[in-house]
Amino acid sequence: MAAVEQTDTHLPKDSKEPSISEQSTPEQILSLGLAFWGSKTLLSAVEIGLFTELAKGSLDFETLAERLMLHPRSARDFLDALVALGMLERDHDRYANTPETDLFLDRTKPSYVGGLLEMANARLYPFWGSLTEALRTGQLQNEAKRGEEDFFAAIYADPDRLKGFLEAMTSISLGAAIAIANTFPWDRYEAFVDVGTAQGGLPVQVALAHDHLSGGGFDLLPVGPIFEEYVDSHGLSDRLRFCPGDFFEEPLPQADVLVMGRILHDWDLEGKKTLLAKAYEALPEGGALIVYDAIIDDDRSENAFGLLMSLNMLIETPGGFDYTGADCCSWMRDAGFRETYVEHLVGPDSMVVGIK
Ligand SMILES: C[S@@+](CC[C@H](N)C(=O)[O-])C[C@H]1O[C@@H](n2cnc3c(N)ncnc32)[C@H](O)[C@@H]1O
């Protein structure tokens, strides 16, 4: 059969040809499609220690390029791209950190969040290259796919790497922890435990804001010394204790309030429900469970970070996924909680509260 030739003359007179106007341009599509250019430029800058070098003081182009061992072909574009991306400042020929990159990307400062970006550069960046395979198979794409050593097992076996990882958790969750310390009605309760506490970022913020509270953090045994050092550095060792344990193997500690931050999204539905049931068991009548994550909006159309985090769980875990506030409230009610509500915290993070 002969192909029908499609020419403009065959188009009905009133057909609307696609037009590129000021209202309709491909700019947003192209900018998102190539967003990895900027992302990888920042990740490489963290990898080679650019911000740590500049934290010692601003440097002229020649010195900086030499210190970072940059090839003459790349140096100027790399550094100026970071200026244009808002990650560096430049005054004539001298480059300096911005206030934010100086605070958060200098490896020598406790506020360093680059540990997470180093991990994103070394692991997530290549693993996300197999996203299409994950979308088609539903299978994780990290080290486990090739039977290599489990990344998190390796971190937990090395106290220095573990400390860096837990410090990064504190930095990432500080905003949510401060918001929970300020907005939850803590005056109604006396004792709380943060389950999967990492370094103890949340218990420290809550205890600093509320003198009457005592409690602690529950986490795997190797986390203990790092939690205790951090709590001690805030002068809170008399009010915050570490409880070692595995939340799937042992009952959760008893307290008026339990917190689970960035825990539920790691697990499949059965794991999530197991943890909610354990929290319900450990709470007294009137006690509260606070769950926080990058909770997805109920319409699943706005919290892009939460939705992408869920795809990251697809890449990283056998069954983990992020969830909406409505999802979490319904699982909490199934577990027995009589009252639930969702409250926005900061950025993409919200908390879901269940009252027993
Ligand atoms: C993603 S981090 C969240 C840390 C912190 N709650 C926050 O919001 O930043 C998960 C934490 O859960 C802990 N964890 C993982 N599996 C655990 C288990 N089976 N029992 C107890 N803690 C566990 C990890 O050690 C880690 O500190």
Side-chain angles (χ1 to χ4, degrees), residues 218-220 243-253 274-275 278:
F218 177 92
D219 210 304
L220 299 167
C243 318
D246 180 323
F247 47 52
F248 284 118
E249 301 297 328
E250 286 129 79
L252 297 183
T274 300
L275 291 174
K278 286 191 155 201

Side-chain angles (χ1 to χ4, degrees), residues 156 166 169 173 194-198 218-220 223 245-248 261-263 266-267 292:
Y156 277 76
L166 299 180
M169 282 294 138
S173 298
D194 182 30
V195 177
T197 190
F218 177 92
D219 210 304
L220 299 167
V223 173
D246 180 323
F247 47 52
F248 284 118
R262 311 197 197 290
I263 303 296
D266 282 341
W267 309 101
Y292 71 86

Side-chain angles (χ1 to χ4, degrees), residues 78-350:
F78 174 60
L79 296 171
D80 289 344
L82 288 163
V83 172
L85 288 166
M87 298 289 113
L88 289 182
E89 289 172 356
R90 191 190 60 213
D91 184 8
H92 296 95
D93 202 36
R94 291 190 81 78
Y95 292 84
N97 286 338
T98 66
E100 290 78 20
T101 52
D102 205 66
L103 181 61
F104 295 117
L105 294 179
D106 170 11
R107 281 190 189 122
T108 66
K109 294 196 176 80
S111 47
Y112 181 63
V113 297
L116 182 82
L117 299 185
E118 286 174 38
M119 197 265 277
N121 186 46
R123 300 180 59 252
L124 298 183
Y125 187 80
F127 296 151
W128 270 74
S130 308
L131 178 64
T132 310
E133 185 179 336
L135 297 177
R136 291 263 164 77
T137 63
Q139 299 296 312
L140 53 68
Q141 299 297 318
N142 66 9
E143 295 86 353
K145 181 176 152 188
R146 289 175 205 88
E148 291 162 14
E149 187 187 26
D150 181 273
F151 170 74
F152 290 99
I155 278 200
Y156 277 76
D158 176 341
D160 286 341
R161 283 178 80 193
L162 180 58
K163 189 170 179 209
F165 172 68
L166 299 180
E167 281 172 353
M169 282 294 138
T170 303
S171 305
I172 294 161
S173 298
L174 189 64
I178 291 172
I180 290 172
N182 291 336
T183 58
F184 184 75
W186 291 103
D187 53 332
R188 297 180 200 164
Y189 304 97
E190 284 172 8
F192 74 104
V193 172
D194 182 30
V195 177
T197 190
Q199 199 182 18
L202 179 125
V204 162
Q205 291 306 319
V206 171
L208 286 174
H210 303 278
D211 287 345
H212 73 283
L213 288 172
S214 62
F218 177 92
D219 210 304
L220 299 167
L221 185 66
V223 173
I226 299 161
F227 174 96
E228 278 156 6
E229 185 189 335
Y230 183 70
V231 165
D232 195 39
S233 74
H234 287 84
L236 292 166
S237 301
D238 53 334
R239 289 166 56 208
L240 297 177
R241 284 190 320 110
F242 184 74
C243 318
D246 180 323
F247 47 52
F248 284 118
E249 301 297 328
E250 286 129 79
L252 297 183
Q254 298 195 336
D256 304 331
V257 180
L258 292 177
V259 185
M260 286 184 187
R262 311 197 197 290
I263 303 296
L264 287 193
H265 77 157
D266 282 341
W267 309 101
D268 63 12
L269 187 56
E270 193 187 335
K272 286 174 171 63
K273 289 192 164 187
T274 300
L275 291 174
L276 292 174
K278 286 191 155 201
Y280 186 83
E281 275 304 303
L283 289 168
E285 239 7 85
L289 169 65
I290 303 172
V291 163
Y292 71 86
D293 255 314
I295 305 276
I296 299 168
D297 54 297
D298 289 346
D299 188 48
R300 295 177 53 84
S301 60
E302 283 173 24
N303 190 349
F305 184 87
L307 290 158
L308 294 173
M309 178 63 89
S310 200
L311 288 179
N312 195 52
M313 292 300 113
L314 167 68
I315 296 282
E316 281 275 46
T317 69
F321 62 94
D322 286 72
Y323 47 91
T324 66
D327 290 334
C328 191
C329 288
S330 105
W331 302 329
M332 283 179 167
R333 281 194 295 273
D334 289 348
F337 290 92
R338 62 179 162 81
E339 196 187 316
T340 62
Y341 64 90
V342 184
E343 195 169 318
H344 178 248
L345 296 170
V346 62
D349 291 337
S350 297

